[in-house]
Amino acid sequence: METLNTILLTRMTRFHLTELVELYRRAGSATTVIEHHKDIREILPDASTRLVNALKDIDELRKRAEEELTYDEKHNILPICMNDERYPQRLRECPDAPLLLYQLGNADLNNRRIINIIGTRHCTPYGQDLIRSFVRELKTLCPNVLIFSGLAYGVDIHAHRAALENGLETVGVLAHGLDDIYPRGHRDTALEMIKHGGLLTEYMTHTQPVARNFVQRNRIVAGCSDATILIESAAKGGGLITCSIARSYGREIFAFPGAIGAEYSEGCNNLIRDNGAALITSATDFVKAMGWNEDLILEQAQQKGIERNCFPELSAEEDTIVKTLSKNNDLQINLLSTQANIPISQLSGLLFSLEMKGVIRTMAGGCYHLIV
């Protein structure tokens, strides 16, 4: 019922998304919103008149929502509501997060490490070489990183294919419904991604890939990620829009420089010049800047063997994690983040520290286990 009611709310497209998200957050669920659709100001006192009137007539949209849910169930599409534990925690923190996402595939959208690789649709041989070398090196340094992009021509599709070639999971965020693939020429890659990552969208089936949807989907690419990597960009382009969105979310932004005067390096060079992105020339640069070299350090330490300190000194945040796991052991990072009330961006470093101290260990499926 919650899924159906959330789909129902997303049919209300005439309103600024943030108002609908605020209503949802206040109510705690779409079901509560629907239950109060005739007296919604009891939940959101400053709700706009347009929103109030639209909610009164929301039952007129129910048939289309029911059709969508039936199609999703038949075609293995997973609708993920904002209050679902499988919903991307990083994206949930954003003020304009979609109320619901549709997923095809098996990717953990709350993976410990998530980045996006974006750029021009006119990716040059230079950009293609950068992508291949970056992803290949990243696989060695961070073997479980999840790579997001938009399945578009150019940088996007090269990023997805490089991820697959190197055994990394990758997710494509679409600007249309999951009943079709655009561009058609990327269909084979998309099908492979469903087996090793997945496809994600906020749009119902039969939604066409119109221009405004591509701009909208960029916030999902940015919001689901810890960092944005800009490979190539002209002076103006969609990649720069994604970087701007990522910056507004407080996420890290990196760009590869290019030759002065090169058309599709101009955007990167300008962004670096204006301190809008950190300059990187390799995955090693990126991993060091993010502090993710701890993954390799931990692996080496585990190979040598770590003797647990019987009485390790813990920070207040580490102690909170230990207490949370002592109540409910073997939690994935998104659940641990919610129960410990610690953002994932901060939680990752704390978990690494606890692993090094021999207090916890990572289990199959990305769960964290308290060693007793």
Side-chain angles (χ1 to χ4, degrees):
M1 182 60 71
E2 174 63 15
T3 300
L4 176 63
N5 286 332
T6 306
I7 294 174
L8 191 55
L9 285 183
T10 64
R11 294 288 296 150
M12 298 171 53
T13 56
R14 294 177 294 163
F15 305 95
H16 198 282
L17 180 62
T18 52
E19 183 178 21
L20 204 54
V21 172
E22 177 62 19
L23 172 60
Y24 183 93
R25 294 188 199 275
R26 294 262 191 106
S29 70
T31 300
T32 300
V33 173
I34 299 302
E35 289 173 348
H36 291 269
H37 73 280
K38 293 184 178 180
D39 54 359
I40 203 62
R41 283 194 170 126
E42 289 187 7
I43 297 175
L44 190 66
D46 53 349
S48 67
T49 301
R50 289 182 64 192
L51 179 59
V52 170
N53 291 336
L55 281 167
K56 289 179 180 178
D57 301 326
I58 199 169
D59 286 334
E60 297 176 7
L61 306 174
R62 186 172 295 277
K63 181 180 179 181
R64 176 66 181 92
E66 291 173 343
E67 291 173 351
E68 178 66 25
L69 189 57
T70 299
Y71 182 95
D72 295 343
E73 291 172 347
K74 183 178 179 180
H75 294 86
N76 298 315
I77 296 172
L78 176 66
I80 309 175
C81 306
M82 184 180 280
N83 61 4
D84 191 311
E85 64 185 32
R86 294 166 294 188
Y87 190 95
Q89 176 67 25
R90 297 168 179 84
L91 183 61
R92 186 188 286 128
E93 298 170 356
C94 303
D96 54 353
L99 295 181
L100 182 137
L101 294 167
Y102 299 94
Q103 180 185 19
L104 260 177
N106 52 16
D108 177 5
L109 303 177
N110 288 293
N111 195 65
R112 186 180 181 190
R113 308 286 193 218
I114 301 179
I115 67 168
N116 67 73
I117 298 176
I118 57 166
T120 178
R121 292 178 179 234
H122 306 281
C123 190
T124 70
Y126 168 69
Q128 294 174 36
D129 287 343
L130 284 179
I131 294 169
R132 282 192 292 266
S133 60
F134 177 82
V135 175
R136 183 171 58 248
E137 186 181 5
L138 186 63
K139 168 65 176 180
T140 300
L141 299 172
C142 295
N144 296 312
V145 68
L146 175 61
I147 297 177
F148 269 65
S149 200
L151 202 70
Y153 292 110
V155 169
D156 288 17
I157 192 63
H158 285 291
H160 291 308
R161 288 171 178 165
L164 292 172
E165 289 168 4
N166 286 277
L168 290 173
E169 289 194 340
T170 182
V171 171
V173 183
L174 308 183
H176 54 82
L178 289 174
D179 54 326
D180 199 5
I181 296 295
Y182 176 85
R184 293 291 176 88
H186 298 170
R187 181 177 177 84
D188 288 346
T189 301
L191 293 175
E192 188 66 20
M193 289 167 62
I194 293 172
K195 302 174 187 175
H196 305 286
L199 304 175
L200 195 66
T201 186
E202 66 179 306
Y203 298 108
M204 302 175 71
T205 54
H206 310 308
T207 302
Q208 298 302 307
V210 296
R212 65 175 179 274
N213 292 357
F214 288 94
V215 177
Q216 282 288 98
R217 70 96 186 271
N218 288 348
R219 80 189 195 286
I220 299 176
V221 173
C224 285
S225 309
D226 299 303
T228 291
I229 313 293
L230 184 65
I231 299 294
E232 287 187 302
S233 174
K236 295 182 180 179
L240 295 174
I241 294 174
T242 304
C243 289
S244 177
I245 295 170
R247 187 181 306 110
S248 73
Y249 293 159
R251 309 299 164 82
E252 302 293 335
I253 305 165
F254 299 87
F256 279 90
I260 295 173
E263 180 181 1
Y264 294 111
S265 289
E266 190 174 358
C268 292
N269 291 342
N270 291 346
L271 198 64
I272 293 168
R273 179 199 64 200
D274 298 335
N275 297 317
L279 183 153
I280 56 173
T281 60
S282 66
T284 298
D285 290 348
F286 168 72
V287 168
K288 286 182 178 178
M290 291 295 292
W292 289 0
N293 52 318
E294 63 191 36
D295 287 6
L296 190 58
I297 295 171
L298 178 60
E299 183 179 346
Q300 293 170 346
Q302 288 174 334
Q303 289 174 354
K304 295 177 182 177
I306 301 174
E307 291 187 8
R308 180 183 177 186
N309 183 339
C310 293
F311 303 97
E313 294 183 5
L314 303 181
S315 67
E317 292 82 4
E318 290 172 341
D319 188 56
T320 298
I321 294 170
V322 169
K323 289 179 179 176
T324 302
L325 289 174
S326 66
K327 295 178 181 177
N328 298 293
N329 211 353
D330 300 341
L331 294 175
Q332 291 186 326
I333 192 169
N334 57 313
L335 291 176
L336 185 54
S337 173
T338 300
Q339 295 185 24
N341 195 28
I342 299 175
I344 286 180
S345 56
Q346 179 184 356
L347 187 57
S348 295
L350 294 169
L351 290 169
F352 168 74
S353 176
L354 288 170
E355 284 188 83
M356 290 298 292
K357 293 176 180 178
V359 176
I360 65 172
R361 68 169 179 263
T362 309
M363 305 291 285
C367 291
Y368 289 88
H369 176 78
L370 180 64
I371 302 172
V372 295

